[in-house]
Amino acid sequence: MGARKKLRADQIKEENKSIAFAKLNNSPISPRKMRLVADLVRGVEVNKALNILQHNAKDASLSLSKLLRSAIANWEAKNEGKSIEDEKLVVKSIEVGSAGMLKRIQTAPQGRAYRVRKRSNHVTIVVDGSK
């Protein structure tokens, strides 16, 4: 690796030290329902976001709170000497995308059948500790 490339790689690594992410693939909740809960915590401070998810009645909030805890743990692993309270960790972004569908058949009258599409999603959450 050349000198300039090495310096640039070190600079990018130092910039990304404050960012951590976690990813959940093939969650069996429809993306639309997951986005309703994700919109509540986007851009919110981490402890407040965990509190919001804990007191939300939707099923999607349980999997999102686990994912957020995982992102926090990833951030702590990257920044060993720092604490969450000092850095003011914020949920920078949450992306909910659709995953594969399970296609099932629902019986219908007069010998027909309706297709039931059981949707699932992928979620990526990014937390940022920069001030």
Side-chain angles (χ1 to χ4, degrees):
M1 185 182 296
R4 284 182 299 187
K5 195 171 185 182
K6 175 76 171 144
L7 289 173
R8 180 68 180 143
D10 290 340
Q11 181 185 5
I12 290 172
K13 188 175 181 183
E14 197 60 38
E15 289 171 359
N16 289 337
K17 195 127 177 133
S18 65
I19 296 173
F21 71 95
K23 193 166 185 174
L24 174 67
N25 286 330
N26 296 319
S27 175
I29 301 169
S30 73
R32 185 175 179 181
K33 291 178 183 177
M34 187 66 87
R35 280 187 199 107
L36 287 173
V37 180
D39 290 340
L40 295 174
V41 295
R42 188 176 285 120
V44 178
E45 197 267 327
V46 167
N47 290 324
K48 188 175 179 184
L50 283 172
N51 196 16
I52 290 170
L53 291 173
Q54 183 181 0
H55 292 94
N56 195 340
K58 295 189 178 288
D59 286 337
S61 62
L62 179 65
S63 57
L64 268 183
S65 66
K66 280 185 183 180
L67 187 65
L68 182 57
R69 284 190 183 100
S70 175
I72 293 168
N74 292 343
W75 186 87
E76 287 175 342
K78 265 187 169 179
N79 305 288
E80 291 181 16
K82 301 178 182 175
S83 68
I84 298 171
E85 292 80 22
D86 297 340
E87 289 296 317
K88 186 153 171 63
L89 219 56
V90 175
V91 178
K92 186 174 181 181
S93 69
I94 299 179
E95 295 175 8
V96 180
S98 63
M101 267 185 270
L102 297 175
K103 292 174 180 164
R104 299 292 182 255
I105 299 295
Q106 173 73 44
T107 56
Q110 297 181 358
R112 288 186 295 245
Y114 297 141
R115 176 152 304 159
V116 176
R117 293 178 298 196
K118 297 189 174 192
R119 301 172 191 267
S120 58
N121 68 61
H122 301 312
V123 185
T124 304
I125 187 167
V126 178
V127 293
D128 191 5
S130 64
K131 294 181 180 177

